[in-house]
Amino acid sequence: MSPKSTTSTVFVQLAGVALLLVGTIGDATAAPKYFIKVRDTELAAGIDASVPQHGTPAASPGAQDKPDAGTGSAAPAPQDGPKTAADMVKNVLTETLRKQPEVTLELESPLGNPDAVKAECKRKGLRALEFAVRVLKMARTTKPPAAGKRFRTLEQVVKLSVVGTTIPEGLLSVGGDGESTIQIEVGERITPGQEREVLEESVKDAVEQAVKQGMLKLSQPVGKPTPEKRRKK
């Protein structure tokens, strides 16, 4: 074998080792640090728990919050997605956490067994937490056209907090806040699709803000957890 061939062979071998090392380092960096169980969402008193559904009648300018009586007898279109605001918020929280590389939402142990969850997390070097959202405000309004504008504005405001507690102790460990206002232009009749669009976008934005705050706090030195004080509904 010529010297040139030997050099090429060694180079290929070294390149393979380098790629293997890079992959190992990448896997170690991407390893989750936290197991998070998502709890049901809490809505503050007075918040409308319903979610606009596609296929329901559009709201008229004088009755934005009431379905149009209409005269047709056609059956409503099939409904997709969450039926309540609490379910929508919980789903968004779950998907937002799923995108965090340092978080895992799955374990081998039954999630209903806190002691087993804690033992598995200890074995894997994970901090075991339970996250939930408290929705403090969810308000929808319409505004008349601005000067020189033709269309009205549909506005959705969502304000919420994400609370994280330890498993199984239930001690308050971390929290984050989020608030979002989404506006879109609408015509004389507001469709359920438009109402759902602003609600979904506002919820997503607020939850992402709160989760970002919470994950930042989790990365800081661990303090002494305190008992969580649940707010009365």
Side-chain angles (χ1 to χ4, degrees):
M1 182 179 294
S2 65
K4 182 177 180 180
S5 300
T6 303
T7 303
S8 300
T9 302
V10 172
F11 177 81
V12 171
Q13 291 175 341
L14 290 175
V17 172
L19 289 174
L20 180 61
L21 289 174
V22 170
T24 304
I25 294 173
D27 292 341
T29 303
K33 300 177 181 178
Y34 314 101
F35 162 71
I36 297 180
K37 177 182 177 182
V38 178
R39 199 170 67 205
D40 289 340
T41 297
E42 300 177 15
L43 301 180
I47 291 180
D48 184 2
S50 63
V51 172
Q53 300 295 321
H54 298 294
T56 55
S60 63
Q64 291 93 336
D65 299 317
K66 298 180 181 179
D68 190 4
T71 56
S73 57
Q79 305 301 313
D80 297 321
K83 302 298 189 296
T84 68
D87 288 340
M88 175 184 285
V89 174
K90 182 179 180 181
N91 290 350
V92 172
L93 174 62
T94 300
E95 291 308 310
T96 302
L97 290 173
R98 199 181 301 279
K99 296 175 183 178
Q100 310 302 313
E102 63 268 52
V103 172
T104 181
L105 304 179
E106 289 83 24
L107 289 178
E108 299 172 4
S109 304
L111 301 187
N113 187 334
D115 291 331
V117 168
K118 183 177 181 179
E120 181 176 343
C121 287
K122 183 177 181 180
R123 186 173 70 254
K124 294 181 176 180
L126 300 171
R127 286 180 63 185
L129 301 165
E130 190 174 53
F131 270 32
V133 175
R134 289 173 174 162
V135 180
L136 308 175
K137 182 179 181 180
M138 191 173 279
R140 164 203 175 283
T141 58
T142 55
K143 297 180 179 181
K149 296 290 185 178
R150 176 183 176 185
F151 298 105
R152 299 184 298 156
T153 300
L154 173 61
E155 179 179 279
Q156 178 72 53
V157 178
V158 172
K159 182 178 181 180
L160 51 79
S161 294
V162 169
V163 178
T165 55
T166 59
I167 297 176
E169 300 85 2
L171 300 177
L172 182 61
S173 178
V174 71
D177 300 315
E179 184 171 4
S180 177
T181 300
I182 300 296
Q183 296 179 332
I184 62 171
E185 290 185 336
V186 293
E188 288 301 307
R189 297 174 70 83
I190 302 173
T191 68
Q194 290 171 324
E195 294 196 45
R196 190 181 183 97
E197 176 188 346
V198 293
L199 179 59
E200 288 177 337
E201 289 301 316
S202 189
V203 166
K204 181 180 178 181
D205 187 31
V207 168
E208 288 178 347
Q209 291 176 35
V211 169
K212 184 177 181 180
Q213 285 186 21
M215 298 310 298
L216 180 61
K217 292 177 182 178
L218 279 178
S219 66
Q220 298 172 353
V222 180
K224 184 178 180 181
T226 58
E228 181 192 11
K229 294 182 180 179
R230 292 284 188 90
R231 299 180 184 179
K232 294 183 179 180
K233 296 183 180 180

